[in-house]
Amino acid sequence: MRIACRVDLVLGILTIVCATPAQAQQPDSTSLPLTTSYQWSGAGLDSLPVDSLRTALGFLPGVSPGSRGDLYVRGGSPEGLVTYLDGVPVQPGVRGGGLGTSVGPLTPWTAGLGSAELTTGPYGSAFGNGGSGLLRLTTRSGGDRWTGGVRYSTDELSGKAASFGVNRVEGTIGGPLGHHLTFFAGAYVHGQQSATSGIDGAAAPIFVPAGVDTTLAVPSKYGDPLADTTYVAVANWAVYRGNCSTFAGSADPGIAHNYGVPCQGDRIPLSASTSERYQFRLNATPDDRTTLWFSALGGRDQARRFDYFLNQDRQALTGAVNDSRVWTLGGRRALSASVTAEAVVSLQHDQSQDGPLDPTAEVGSRDPYGGFLIAPLALRWTLSNFPVNDQLITNYRLNTNGSRITPYDLSNTAQYGTIDQWRNDAYGLLGYAEGGGPTSRLSMYDETRVVGRAALEWRSPSIGTISAGIEGTHYNIANYSFGLTTLIFSDAWIEKPMAMAAYLSDRFESGGASVEFGLRYQEFSTGAQRPWLLDTVSTNPTFAQYGPFPRQFTYGRNPDGSIATYNGQPLIQYRTDPSHQGLSPHIAIAIRLNDQTDLHAAGARMLELPDFGESFSGINTDLQLTNTHQVFGSDLGFLDATIFELGVTQHLGVGLNGTVTGYDRRDRTRPVASLHAPYDPATKTTQDVASFSDIGSATTDGIEVQVSGRRGVVSGTLAYAYQHTDYLVTSIYGESDRPHTLTAIGTLAFPQAWHAGSTVGAILSRTSVTALVRYASGARDYGCPSPSFTAPAELCPDPGLVYLPWTTPPGRLPAFKAIDLRVSRSVDVGGHALSFFVDAHNLFNFRNYNAALGPAPTTSSAQDQAMAFSGDSAAFASEAQANGVYNGSNGSIDLTFGGAPDPRAGCGAWQTAANAPASPNCVALIRAEQRFGNGDGIFTVGEQQRASQAQYLLTRGLAALTDLPRRIRIGVEMKL
């Protein structure tokens, strides 16, 4: 199914224009669509109530948006949607499907786009390496006159109760630089003061320190005059996320008035984030046969990460900075009236750095104005001060004592441990660190690609249009991922794979038909070397033979690290991965049956490079360093998929068109991480090893129906998609597994002269209202909320890093429902167009679940809550018993200390369940009773349960289980 659609911005008014091929500009067969494809102008996308291109694409038939911002096209994986930008692929070698990090592909924001085309059906042989669809983008160019604009939008005017502190600034400018040169530049910065959460985040309060409650002298041992004394400042705990009225009835005036700290509604502390894009483009036309262009696109996304358990431990706080750059130089020249040549070369760079913040500098980024983190976050370790180079890889591979492997001294990791000594939180519970660390994961990734592409097109009246071309990519990728204090689940590698492709296609027209044949050849080589170990047991059938096994230094090494021999054979042999080749045929035909009806059919085999993060995972890791749950890479070949579709487009009347398409998609290979048991020459037995292999497969069948039209000031599309996927060999379910999806895009656009002279015309002219509607079946792909306080196995079956099949298919989440709306109004000010707009996302605040408990699934569980409280209750009881204040008959804890005016005075002899001095724990329990109880000093079981549940709701409550709530953003734009 393909209907030619465009979204135009005329006089500041959004219009959607759709036409069957019979209405297209070219009435002959060259206008016939050969596959399902959708085109958008950058201006049209920029006028929708969306923050990104990918959000808009999620409203197209066959496209399912994921909870992480990715797109599933017709049952394929999100990593398989290949992106071409300004003529070259910008697909990273590490795409996030495996254990590696990915920050790409980098794409412009909507105002920086010239055009976008998404192909969901079989696409031609000129493009490749995408098993799930093709996204072709061009950056915006300058025109023959100077234009520009600035825009600002914010959600802060809607109040903190419904705001994450979003502020967005955008600017563009472009125009001619002489007769043969045009220029465009633009940038945007999207600041956000808080990480997002789901519905009703304020119902699960988050507390922050607000001054000192009291300072206590805590001896290292009671009754010992020589004991060391530590002075501990016990913090007041004020609500940050939440409603100040929640604890207004507390018996403690400080708690009742939230210690004078204003509540922040749904906002989460210490979690600011910023996204930036900036671009530049020059177009040159030195003569009427030649076009040259240079484009530069850059982006940075960075965020602080909020960890409630570490929010008092300044040196353990973490953040991430992701940077991407794409520089592209291209040219096109008509060599003759029938022959055109094109060549493009691109340098691309992606980098991700994720780990602890520098404790000496992190205060400056805690509460940035407007959420704008302009300077890069100050990370404690980066690729600059801890480079991932060949020496590091050698140190890691041989586990060289005393060498640089992690930033820490691995022979004495106890010195880096977090310190969790007191009950130092608003709940009187255990588990919140006061200091030490950091012990988090340090992940760094750097990828540079050089991409080249050249094509030749020959148009002949007798044999049609013949296209031929080549494409090549050289990768240089470094990856490092370590828990700072352990080598378990560690990974480090530097690899330089290469890929190339060549294609040939022919499209010819005959009367009312168009036919295209194509063939694409692809090849890639990882260049990776993997260890093969020699079997030295003479009684084994594999004696004197090599087999692959992940051991680097615990087998076959001499004391100096060199490889030992057996009977003249090296015990370790490193073998280079062989290259992989494949052919991708493509055929498509379109027929104009009559002036009202077009028919098309297409089929293709689509080959996709494996995610190199899956190929190289653990390639330098010794099994002895980790455990059997670490997933090792393997020599993966192409991911292989075929897709066939049949579609019809029908003109239904003036301004109304309909399309119906059916398709069959078969993923013949999908990477799966599973356990197997190869022979280990070091232990002389088989060993469990988890590794990636391409044994997964799936079949997806679907039908898509779309009706589009325009009548007067009303335009829009209505689409329905049915999809059924069978997962074969392994039971892995994806977010794309949604059988029914209904989407709609509708616009009311009132032009400037609409009903001129009338009252209604004066009110509505130059006003537009656009609505995006989506209803979809609930997904099967969901997990228990993370991090989890309890993670009960019976409610949250979690296979971990190894993809184990479900014994029975998991149930579905509730259906997804959303309505987004934009209302805009344009006026003239000083000869310039000034527009005001309001965007409403999830207008009706629907509860859209993206996580649940158990395979059933359930969105709340009394059993789960009881399990969480059982651990807290036991800890309360054991400590109260150690202090003689526990009532065994009803489980309450007496914190009155004989009716003292200030019960804190009775805390001097308080101890832990292990009889260690712990007077700060006593104060924390007193304040917890005053916060979650009636303030009489008796901490009843019911009050203890309320304190425990308040913490439980942070990761198991509505805000943790659901997608974004309603958000209202107001903006203004001036066009120059």
Side-chain angles (χ1 to χ4, degrees):
M1 173 191 67
R2 180 178 188 263
I3 186 166
C5 294
R6 72 179 190 274
V7 182
D8 295 322
L9 190 67
V10 180
L11 296 177
I13 300 172
L14 178 69
T15 58
I16 301 177
V17 181
C18 300
T20 64
Q23 297 172 307
Q25 291 182 353
Q26 300 179 17
D28 55 43
S29 57
T30 60
S31 65
L32 290 174
L34 293 170
T35 188
T36 304
S37 188
Y38 305 91
Q39 296 88 32
W40 298 76
S41 70
L45 286 166
D46 195 42
S47 299
L48 297 175
V50 298
D51 284 337
S52 69
L53 166 66
R54 288 180 171 255
T55 302
L57 297 179
F59 288 88
L60 297 176
V63 182
S64 180
S67 60
R68 294 169 293 276
D70 40 25
L71 295 176
Y72 296 80
V73 179
R74 291 185 171 180
S77 69
E79 295 83 23
L81 176 59
V82 65
T83 301
Y84 278 67
L85 176 66
D86 289 340
V88 291
V90 290
Q91 205 79 345
V94 176
R95 300 191 294 278
L99 304 181
T101 303
S102 177
V103 299
L106 180 66
T107 59
W109 81 109
T110 53
L113 270 171
S115 64
E117 179 178 4
L118 176 65
T119 301
T120 60
Y123 54 83
S125 301
F127 306 96
N129 194 30
S132 301
L134 169 66
L135 180 60
R136 297 177 61 190
L137 308 174
T138 61
T139 53
R140 185 172 165 184
S141 300
D144 57 5
R145 63 183 182 89
W146 283 95
T147 60
V150 292
R151 178 191 298 167
Y152 170 72
S153 61
T154 181
D155 72 352
E156 303 223 45
L157 297 181
S158 57
K160 293 178 179 178
S163 161
F164 294 115
V166 171
N167 291 276
R168 185 177 177 115
V169 180
E170 306 172 54
T172 61
I173 189 169
L177 295 175
H179 295 294
H180 303 288
L181 191 65
T182 62
F183 157 86
F184 175 83
Y188 93 82
V189 182
H190 180 111
Q192 191 161 304
Q193 294 173 323
S194 166
T196 58
S197 61
I199 301 290
D200 200 13
I206 293 175
F207 298 86
V208 295
V212 176
D213 183 309
T214 187
T215 300
L216 301 173
V218 185
S220 59
K221 185 178 180 180
Y222 286 136
D224 184 352
L226 301 179
D228 294 331
T229 299
T230 301
Y231 290 90
V232 179
V234 180
N236 293 318
W237 291 98
V239 175
Y240 187 94
R241 183 179 82 174
N243 299 314
C244 285
S245 61
T246 303
F247 304 104
S250 172
D252 178 77
I255 294 174
H257 294 92
N258 204 42
Y259 302 102
V261 176
C263 290
Q264 302 295 316
D266 286 346
R267 298 185 186 180
I268 297 171
L270 304 178
S271 62
S273 64
T274 300
S275 177
E276 306 168 24
R277 293 293 183 273
Y278 32 90
Q279 69 184 70
F280 172 86
R281 180 168 178 135
L282 284 174
N283 281 11
T285 53
D287 56 54
D288 58 2
R289 299 171 59 188
T290 307
T291 300
L292 303 173
W293 68 89
F294 171 76
S295 63
L297 174 65
R300 171 176 292 156
D301 300 302
Q302 55 181 329
R304 293 182 57 121
R305 290 204 173 90
F306 174 72
D307 188 329
Y308 203 8
F309 300 102
L310 298 175
N311 72 339
Q312 295 179 83
D313 187 2
R314 180 173 168 181
Q315 64 186 13
L317 301 176
T318 63
V321 181
N322 297 335
D323 287 285
S324 290
R325 307 285 187 273
V326 176
W327 297 271
T328 303
L329 177 65
R332 184 182 303 110
R333 181 171 176 81
L335 303 180
S336 69
S338 59
V339 179
T340 302
E342 180 177 290
V344 190
V345 64
S346 180
L347 176 62
Q348 305 169 12
H349 182 232
D350 297 318
Q351 186 179 94
S352 175
Q353 300 177 102
D354 188 335
L357 296 168
D358 184 343
T360 65
E362 67 84 21
V363 174
S365 63
R366 287 191 169 190
D367 187 24
Y369 180 77
F372 294 125
L373 297 167
I374 303 303
L377 284 172
L379 300 174
R380 187 167 179 178
W381 294 288
T382 67
L383 287 163
S384 296
N385 62 22
F386 193 82
V388 181
N389 52 26
D390 291 337
Q391 185 60 58
L392 174 65
I393 300 304
T394 300
N395 296 344
Y396 174 60
R397 179 185 290 171
L398 300 181
N399 195 32
T400 305
N401 288 333
S403 67
R404 185 176 68 96
I405 296 177
T406 80
Y408 282 173
D409 177 5
L410 293 178
S411 66
N412 181 21
T413 57
Q415 63 181 308
Y416 310 113
T418 55
I419 301 169
D420 179 18
Q421 191 171 0
W422 318 117
R423 295 178 181 268
N424 57 331
D425 54 78
Y427 318 101
L429 298 172
L430 299 169
Y432 294 79
E434 303 97 44
T439 59
S440 57
R441 179 160 290 269
L442 173 63
S443 297
M444 297 185 292
Y445 150 82
D446 188 273
E447 178 176 335
T448 299
R449 298 179 299 279
V450 178
V451 185
R453 179 178 167 88
L456 194 67
E457 184 180 276
W458 176 34
R459 296 172 299 279
S460 170
S462 58
I463 59 175
T465 300
I466 297 178
S467 300
I470 58 173
E471 184 178 288
T473 305
H474 179 270
Y475 304 83
N476 190 339
I477 312 173
N479 183 73
Y480 179 91
S481 181
F482 271 73
L484 286 168
T485 58
T486 178
L487 292 175
I488 296 176
F489 295 118
S490 59
D491 199 11
W493 45 265
I494 299 174
E495 299 293 344
K496 299 177 181 180
M498 298 183 68
M500 63 84 61
Y503 70 89
L504 179 67
S505 67
D506 183 16
R507 174 169 176 164
F508 59 93
E509 324 293 336
S510 178
S514 181
V515 180
E516 182 177 270
F517 298 95
L519 185 65
R520 184 180 180 89
Y521 171 81
Q522 290 183 239
E523 181 176 349
F524 81 91
S525 173
T526 66
Q529 294 186 326
R530 305 178 192 274
W532 289 57
L533 310 186
L534 182 68
D535 182 2
T536 60
V537 179
S538 59
T539 57
N540 286 346
T542 57
F543 171 63
Q545 297 179 26
Y546 290 92
F549 199 89
R551 288 195 182 274
Q552 298 284 355
F553 70 93
T554 55
Y555 176 80
R557 294 282 182 179
N558 294 315
D560 64 356
S562 61
I563 297 175
T565 61
Y566 174 83
N567 289 340
Q569 290 181 279
L571 290 174
I572 305 176
Q573 188 179 84
Y574 283 91
R575 297 186 179 181
T576 303
D577 289 349
S579 61
H580 297 267
Q581 302 84 27
L583 291 174
S584 303
H586 169 265
I587 184 172
I589 182 171
I591 302 173
R592 175 151 295 158
L593 301 179
N594 53 51
D595 290 343
Q596 307 295 318
T597 309
D598 294 328
L599 179 73
H600 85 266
R605 181 192 189 198
M606 296 182 292
L607 297 180
E608 176 189 342
L609 291 178
D611 185 332
F612 291 136
E614 295 172 343
S615 292
F616 301 142
S617 174
I619 196 169
N620 295 308
T621 304
D622 192 301
L623 185 65
Q624 196 78 10
L625 293 177
T626 182
N627 60 44
T628 55
H629 287 284
Q630 175 153 345
V631 183
F632 289 86
S634 64
D635 179 25
L636 298 172
F638 283 107
L639 308 185
D640 189 350
T642 58
I643 184 168
F644 298 91
E645 74 170 20
L646 176 65
V648 63
T649 301
Q650 180 69 39
H651 178 55
L652 302 175
V654 177
L656 188 63
N657 310 284
T659 59
V660 178
T661 301
Y663 66 88
D664 174 83
R665 173 190 173 88
R666 297 179 184 270
D667 287 274
R668 302 184 183 280
T669 57
R670 278 191 175 185
V672 175
S674 58
L675 285 172
H676 63 290
Y679 179 75
D680 180 3
T683 61
K684 296 178 173 53
T685 185
T686 57
Q687 284 263 64
D688 280 342
V689 176
S691 65
F692 285 105
S693 59
D694 53 8
I695 62 173
S697 60
T699 299
T700 303
D701 299 303
I703 297 175
E704 298 164 3
V705 181
Q706 179 171 316
V707 177
S708 303
R710 181 180 183 183
R711 181 66 63 87
V713 298
V714 180
S715 61
T717 64
L718 177 66
Y720 166 77
Y722 170 79
Q723 177 182 299
H724 173 74
T725 302
D726 285 324
Y727 297 88
L728 311 175
V729 180
T730 180
S731 299
I732 302 173
Y733 293 88
E735 287 186 290
S736 66
D737 186 22
R738 300 176 184 266
H740 306 283
T741 301
L742 184 68
T743 59
I745 303 175
T747 298
L748 284 171
F750 302 96
Q752 182 173 9
W754 189 76
H755 286 198
S758 67
T759 302
V760 67
I763 295 174
L764 295 179
S765 65
R766 304 188 68 177
T767 300
S768 68
V769 180
T770 301
L772 304 179
V773 180
R774 180 178 179 84
Y775 178 93
S777 302
R780 291 188 191 272
D781 179 29
Y782 61 88
C784 289
S786 180
S788 167
F789 290 104
T790 57
E794 60 269 32
L795 283 173
C796 294
D798 182 6
L801 293 175
V802 182
Y803 300 150
L804 301 177
W806 294 83
T807 53
T808 58
R812 294 191 181 279
L813 293 172
F816 180 94
K817 306 174 291 295
I819 296 177
D820 299 338
L821 188 71
R822 168 171 286 192
V823 180
S824 65
R825 168 80 176 189
S826 178
V827 297
D828 285 330
V829 177
H832 301 293
L834 180 66
S835 298
F836 301 90
F837 61 91
V838 178
D839 284 357
H841 300 273
N842 191 11
L843 178 62
F844 295 103
N845 213 31
F846 292 122
R847 294 185 179 184
N848 293 312
Y849 288 89
N850 51 32
L853 301 173
T858 180
T859 55
S860 63
S861 169
Q863 177 191 1
D864 192 44
Q865 292 186 36
M867 291 183 65
F869 177 60
S870 65
D872 295 336
S873 177
F876 280 139
S878 60
E879 191 164 318
Q881 289 168 351
N883 290 279
V885 295
Y886 184 70
N887 187 330
S889 64
N890 59 21
S892 64
I893 300 171
D894 187 349
L895 299 170
T896 61
F897 299 103
D902 184 351
R904 293 176 299 175
C907 292
W910 191 271
Q911 58 188 358
T912 67
N915 304 120
S919 53
N921 287 10
C922 175
V923 177
L925 291 171
I926 290 171
R927 295 307 189 205
E929 191 278 330
Q930 293 172 343
R931 178 174 284 107
F932 297 102
N934 59 11
D936 65 357
I938 304 298
F939 202 12
T940 67
V941 170
E943 293 169 346
Q944 296 169 36
Q945 193 165 19
R946 282 195 289 276
S948 174
Q949 186 180 37
Q951 178 184 256
Y952 170 92
L953 291 176
L954 292 170
T955 58
R956 312 290 248 216
L958 190 62
L961 298 177
T962 55
D963 206 347
L964 294 177
R966 176 174 48 238
R967 293 160 294 148
I968 306 295
R969 190 180 304 172
I970 299 172
V972 60
E973 178 179 17
M974 171 68 79
K975 289 193 174 182
L976 306 179

